[in-house]
Amino acid sequence: MDGERIDVNYDLRMRICEYYRPDLSPCATRLLLDLYRSLAESSTITFSVYSYFHLFASEILERDGTTHFDIYQEGAWQSFDTLLSSARLNLSQPRLEELRFFLQERMEQTEEVESRERYAFMLKRFQGLAPRNP
């Protein structure tokens, strides 16, 4: 098994994800962020992403708005699978408006071309989202 990478935390991570998946609201923010990061990072090795990755992405953004946007974005850009899954968001109208304003500001204030392009990509993503049903 030369060169094969073994994720010793996979089973535990999946059990925790499945435990919280039906209702992420009681999941501590630190744990939510750690799970999201771990799921995103492991996608580059497994060439797939946890089926409910998008629920964790939505919870991070809806719960804390722009506070953890950089973590959301970093996870989204980990792989093609995370980029697609992290777009399946279910956010309130106020949160969508906050994110759109935030991204517009970031684009205007960022001089680095690649970062500005990523913010522009994310802005289009959030502009294309309809708010969740109450």
Side-chain angles (χ1 to χ4, degrees):
M1 292 194 179
D2 289 333
E4 186 176 321
R5 297 175 80 177
I6 298 172
D7 183 352
V8 296
N9 295 314
Y10 177 82
D11 289 335
L12 176 60
R13 184 170 49 253
M14 288 300 105
R15 284 197 309 269
I16 294 169
C17 287
E18 286 300 302
Y19 175 81
Y20 283 109
R21 181 178 54 85
D23 181 11
L24 290 170
S25 61
C27 185
T29 300
R30 183 85 261 139
L31 177 58
L32 179 70
L33 295 171
D34 287 346
L35 288 169
Y36 178 80
R37 279 190 191 117
S38 294
L39 293 168
E41 289 170 5
S42 69
S43 75
T44 63
I45 298 164
T46 61
F47 301 106
S48 64
V49 70
Y50 175 58
S51 298
Y52 300 101
F53 181 74
H54 64 286
L55 299 177
F56 290 79
S58 284
E59 183 69 19
I60 287 168
L61 294 174
E62 187 64 42
R63 182 183 292 190
D64 295 314
T66 60
T67 303
H68 302 294
F69 181 81
D70 291 333
I71 293 171
Y72 162 79
Q73 181 171 241
E74 182 182 331
W77 287 105
Q78 285 292 313
S79 69
F80 185 69
D81 292 319
T82 58
L83 190 62
L84 292 178
S85 183
S86 64
R88 294 178 54 200
L89 298 168
N90 187 12
L91 303 172
S92 65
Q93 182 65 36
R95 193 58 80 207
L96 283 171
E97 289 173 12
E98 175 190 359
L99 288 161
R100 291 171 186 152
F101 179 76
F102 169 80
L103 288 165
Q104 187 64 46
E105 278 190 329
R106 281 257 176 120
M107 279 178 46
E108 292 169 3
Q109 296 170 357
T110 301
E111 294 182 18
E112 203 272 311
V113 175
E114 184 179 346
S115 294
R116 195 170 47 247
E117 288 173 352
R118 285 186 174 208
Y119 290 135
F121 179 90
M122 287 294 171
L123 179 60
K124 286 181 184 178
R125 168 178 283 187
F126 291 107
Q127 287 172 334
L129 285 176
R132 72 174 179 211
N133 293 328

